[in-house]
Amino acid sequence: MTPSAGPTQGDHRATYREVLAEPRFRLLFTTRAVAITAASLRITTFSVLVFTTTGSALLSALAFGIGFLPQLFGSLLLGSLADRLPPRALIAGGYALECAAALLLALVRMPIAASLGVVALVALAAPVFGGASSRLVAQWLEGDAYVLGRSLNNIASSGAQLFGLALGGAVVAAVGPHRALVVSAALYLGCALAVRIRLPRLERGEIGGTPGGARGDGGTVRASLRGAGLLLRGRTVRRLMLAQWLPSAFVAGAEGLIVAYAGGHHFAPGRYAVLMGCLPVGMLVGDLLVGRLLRPRTRERLVVPLIALTGLPLAGFVTEPGVGVSSFLLLLCGFGLAYGLGLQRPFLDALPRDGQGQAFGLLGSGSMTLQGVGPACLGPVAAGIGTGGAIALAGGATVLTAGWILTWHPATAPAPVRNRSTRAEKGTEQHACGSPAL
């Protein structure tokens, strides 16, 4: 298969129908949506189980977030495997591992520390499986079709997370937390079998990567650390990663204060749930409209305005608005997160072909980590200046990020040359690092 054609596709606007017509993408898309539902169900259920067992809100919160932070370490230490191992085995094995972890939590009575350790260990490997899947999508979908494929994945993620959280509450209430974990395991098992049976075995020439991996260069950990270092030392890749990480981290920090904001303003019971739902609804609408209606170059030119649209509504919380205005502001904020679609082609074009799997894993794990750090940082700020002020501060930081991106964004600066023409630049970076090519 040929890699994504990137800019050579010009300003051709693809459609969602074209993207879903690719059967292999359709398989990965469907199994990913089911797996996200299973993950949301497992996370919610495990958190409930820990709270029921210990009565500790702290441990319950730790159970909810324990699967996020280890992903960054997994990407740094194991990320090169996404480019070195057969993708079908990796993806199916990842779902099987998630299935085994859910069954272990459901059927084996372990100390809480051991249960948390199981979830954390599985999270270490998540960037490898996710990176392998994203690498295949980048190779199978060309040009604007790749961007719309990412859009569909974003839409599916938002919808599956909402559905999984709702399903978790219903299943736990109906059958209890242990059986709910078994349901989660069954969903993972279905994904593993579907990938193993329906995804064709790919030959070396079809999946790219570096033949033989880095076995002669010190093994997986050394190759992964070297690969991550090369990616992050490249100025273009580093900037494009930060552009995707920072706004979502600030929004996640603001999102983590919504419940406290609703409580502090004595909104009616249940209103916080309405506010919490506004962000994902705005994201769904934004991805659909920006992905379907705008041409590729237009999306890329709108990156900075959309990031500003993400931050400015949050800045409006400095006025301490009521439920109606708050809901509208959060909808606008969620809509602005569609800015990420305008960064997909430049990001893919900036990647070395042999390091795409690790790069996608690092992008996802870094985003997950910073989205966990955001609420932790804004919580103490809210204690000092109030929740409205802290949310507004997150909005201001997002707007400042938009200003920083304006100074170098590819749509407002000279267009970067594609991979084939930037080998000299990459070679210079690699020579400075004293490492061979990825």
Side-chain angles (χ1 to χ4, degrees):
M1 294 296 166
T2 58
S4 174
T8 62
Q9 296 295 316
D11 207 31
H12 167 70
R13 185 172 64 196
T15 66
Y16 287 119
R17 180 176 295 181
E18 290 176 26
V19 175
L20 291 172
E22 166 56 67
R24 297 165 300 183
F25 170 78
R26 197 164 60 240
L27 171 64
L28 293 180
F29 169 76
T30 303
T31 53
R32 183 174 182 271
V34 173
I36 292 173
T37 301
S40 297
L41 173 59
R42 189 200 67 194
I43 289 170
T44 304
T45 304
F46 182 49
S47 181
V48 170
L49 184 62
V50 169
F51 183 76
T52 302
T53 304
T54 66
S56 169
L58 174 62
L59 287 176
S60 177
L62 183 60
F64 190 90
I66 192 65
F68 299 137
L69 184 59
Q71 291 192 32
L72 180 59
F73 295 101
S75 180
L76 293 174
L77 299 177
L78 304 174
S80 66
L81 293 177
D83 297 294
R84 297 169 61 189
L85 298 180
R88 183 179 70 172
L90 270 182
I91 299 167
Y95 290 142
L97 183 62
E98 296 276 13
C99 170
L103 281 178
L104 193 63
L105 295 173
L107 303 178
V108 179
R109 301 301 175 94
M110 298 179 287
I112 295 300
S115 298
L116 294 172
V118 168
V119 176
L121 284 174
V122 172
L124 277 174
V128 177
F129 315 134
S133 179
S134 295
R135 180 163 63 96
L136 290 183
V137 171
Q139 290 178 288
W140 290 338
L141 299 180
E142 297 186 349
D144 195 45
Y146 167 73
V147 179
L148 289 197
R150 298 283 295 192
S151 173
L152 280 172
N153 280 334
N154 292 342
I155 292 168
S157 295
S158 298
Q161 285 175 22
L162 290 171
F163 179 69
L165 291 171
L167 180 66
V171 173
V172 169
V175 301
H178 288 94
R179 290 194 176 112
L181 286 170
V182 173
V183 173
S184 174
L187 293 175
Y188 279 125
L189 179 60
C191 293
L193 291 175
V195 170
R196 181 63 182 83
I197 294 170
R198 297 188 57 194
L199 188 69
R201 180 181 176 86
L202 303 176
E203 300 299 327
R204 168 64 64 184
E206 293 183 283
I207 61 176
T210 303
R215 284 186 291 269
D217 296 323
T220 298
V221 172
R222 183 175 176 182
S224 299
L225 289 172
R226 183 176 61 253
L230 289 172
L231 287 168
L232 293 175
R233 288 188 188 100
R235 184 173 61 179
T236 301
V237 172
R238 184 175 66 249
R239 284 175 167 178
L240 289 167
M241 281 191 174
L242 287 171
Q244 294 174 80
W245 288 342
L246 293 178
S248 61
F250 294 134
V251 171
E255 186 180 16
L257 297 175
I258 289 176
V259 172
Y261 181 84
H265 290 74
H266 306 292
F267 292 166
R271 293 294 187 184
Y272 78 89
V274 174
L275 296 178
M276 291 287 287
C278 286
L279 273 172
V281 169
M283 290 172 60
L284 286 170
V285 174
D287 269 270
L288 279 171
L289 294 182
V290 173
R292 182 64 187 90
L293 299 181
L294 301 182
R295 291 190 176 277
R297 299 302 182 196
T298 304
R299 291 192 214 111
E300 291 168 15
R301 286 194 297 268
L302 288 178
V303 165
V304 171
L306 285 172
I307 293 176
L309 179 62
T310 300
L312 287 173
L314 295 180
F317 275 84
V318 73
T319 64
E320 308 283 341
V323 174
V325 175
S326 296
S327 300
F328 179 69
L329 293 176
L330 290 171
L331 281 170
L332 285 178
C333 174
F335 185 95
L337 289 171
Y339 81 90
L341 297 182
L343 295 173
Q344 298 308 313
R345 289 206 308 181
F347 181 69
L348 179 60
D349 293 335
L351 298 179
R353 173 167 178 155
D354 289 341
Q356 285 184 358
Q358 181 169 12
F360 287 125
L362 182 59
L363 177 67
S365 61
S367 179
M368 294 290 286
T369 300
L370 288 179
Q371 288 182 48
V373 170
C377 292
L378 280 184
V381 174
I385 65 175
T387 53
I391 293 173
L393 185 64
T398 304
V399 174
L400 288 176
T401 302
W404 168 67
I405 293 171
L406 182 63
T407 65
W408 58 262
H409 179 49
T412 58
V417 185
R418 289 206 68 213
N419 290 340
R420 294 187 186 91
S421 302
T422 55
R423 286 175 181 166
E425 178 187 346
K426 287 173 185 167
T428 300
E429 290 177 355
Q430 290 157 4
H431 177 72
C433 300
S435 302
L438 279 172

